[in-house]
Amino acid sequence: MYLDFLSKFGVGGAHPGGLDLTQEILKNEKISESSRILDVGCGTGQTAAYLADRYGASIIGMDINPIMIDKAKKRIKQCQLPVEIIQGSIENCPLPDGQFDLILSESVLAFADKPRSLHEIFRLLKQGGRFVANELTINQQLNSTYTEEIQQFYGLDSVFTEKDWLSLLEKTGFTDIKTSIQKPSMLENNPSPEFQFSEHIEPHLYMIPDQHLYMMTKYRNILDYRVFSCTKE
Ligand SMILES: C[S@@+](CC[C@H](N)C(=O)[O-])C[C@H]1O[C@@H](n2cnc3c(N)ncnc32)[C@H](O)[C@@H]1O
């Protein structure tokens, strides 16, 4: 339901820190016109468009949700940028091995099967390729009641601590793994998003922003996010 809300409202920059944090993170990566970059779970394509515009790199944006795909394609057409938008799941990606210099996931893997998705990301990267992720992270283990409430509202199969993410990245084969904890917290770091509304929006979806705020407030010291970066050596 939460992802239905994001797609029907066409929320752009639907990750903590928004495009500002994306720009900050990308400054640490070596990106040139010859870079091939995949934006996994690209949503409405805000980051993919930025990458093409700022770096002139070759970009593919991929998302599982057909509404997101339509909205991303519309954005790319309007901006006249050379970005390819494709529909697919990062759990079983329709692209060949070893072709990307950089793969980015901004608030996506939290919603997917994490081991399968990371395995695919590793497969898709070139030798020496980089993976950068901004992902939902809990600051402490929770009891089952709280875990279920979070998983149920956001539609997640699990919620990871920083240690869980690091251990899975390592198990997948990544090296040079770095984490950065962003301040301010998830609740405070929510720059105004942009919207691309669908024509028909189911009435119950209008309640999601309030429920999201409730969750952010209730779990304000617990629901957080981390930026991870690592290499396929
Ligand atoms: C919170 S939104 C973030 C969208 C975008 N990265 C952004 O920052 O605006 C999560 C996105 O992940 C997509 N997604 C969820 N599971 C996916 C999967 N298995 N493969 C590809 N995309 C997925 C959703 O459709 C949604 O667009």
Side-chain angles (χ1 to χ4, degrees):
M1 197 120 89
Y2 178 70
L3 289 182
D4 291 341
F5 151 74
L6 290 181
S7 65
K8 285 289 179 95
F9 278 60
V11 180
H15 56 269
L19 187 60
D20 291 351
L21 180 56
T22 303
Q23 294 175 351
E24 253 340 280
I25 294 168
L26 291 173
K27 278 185 198 157
N28 300 325
E29 300 301 316
K30 289 187 191 113
I31 304 174
S32 70
E33 277 180 22
S34 63
S35 303
R36 275 184 66 72
I37 304 175
L38 174 66
D39 183 16
V40 162
C42 64
T44 67
Q46 189 190 63
T47 293
Y50 169 75
L51 278 163
D53 190 38
R54 164 73 180 77
Y55 296 97
S58 156
I59 317 292
I60 296 183
M62 186 184 74
D63 203 283
I64 198 170
N65 183 313
I67 300 171
M68 288 297 203
I69 290 292
D70 282 353
K71 292 180 180 178
K73 282 186 173 163
K74 203 166 149 198
R75 177 199 297 274
I76 296 306
K77 199 170 163 198
Q78 269 167 5
C79 305
Q80 298 190 314
L81 288 166
V83 175
E84 193 183 342
I85 300 290
I86 59 168
Q87 189 178 357
S89 171
I90 191 54
E91 294 171 8
N92 184 15
C93 182
L95 296 168
D97 297 0
Q99 54 165 310
F100 292 102
D101 300 287
L102 173 66
I103 298 183
L104 196 62
S105 96
E106 294 180 300
S107 200
V108 178
L109 301 193
F111 298 93
D113 178 318
K114 298 167 187 66
R116 281 177 64 185
S117 305
L118 281 174
H119 182 267
E120 283 294 78
I121 287 169
F122 194 82
R123 177 183 73 74
L124 292 164
L125 280 171
K126 290 179 185 169
Q127 218 69 41
R130 298 270 299 153
F131 174 53
V132 177
N134 172 351
E135 290 292 343
L136 182 97
T137 304
I138 48 171
N139 286 331
Q140 64 189 69
Q141 289 290 359
L142 298 172
N143 69 31
S144 59
T145 311
Y146 294 148
T147 306
E148 273 162 31
E149 185 179 33
I150 293 170
Q151 290 185 191
Q152 209 253 329
F153 177 70
Y154 291 105
L156 317 173
D157 68 5
S158 55
V159 276
F160 269 23
T161 60
E162 181 180 322
K163 202 167 150 216
D164 296 329
W165 282 115
L166 292 175
S167 126
L168 187 58
L169 286 166
E170 208 179 308
K171 196 168 159 209
T172 308
F174 286 106
T175 53
D176 187 25
I177 305 168
K178 295 201 171 65
T179 315
S180 72
I181 301 177
Q182 302 294 320
K183 294 284 170 223
S185 72
M186 185 119 131
L187 180 65
E188 290 140 0
N189 197 353
N190 215 346
S192 332
E194 37 153 77
F195 298 101
Q196 242 192 86
F197 298 101
S198 290
E199 237 163 70
H200 174 72
I201 298 179
E202 293 79 359
H204 65 267
L205 294 180
Y206 289 97
M207 262 113 71
I208 301 288
D210 279 352
Q211 291 165 358
H212 174 55
L213 185 60
Y214 165 77
M215 294 292 284
M216 293 281 104
T217 312
K218 177 171 179 180
Y219 295 104
R220 62 188 167 281
N221 296 318
I222 293 165
L223 267 184
D224 208 340
Y225 62 103
R226 298 285 188 280
V227 175
F228 300 99
S229 66
C230 50
T231 306
K232 173 180 175 176
E233 271 178 7

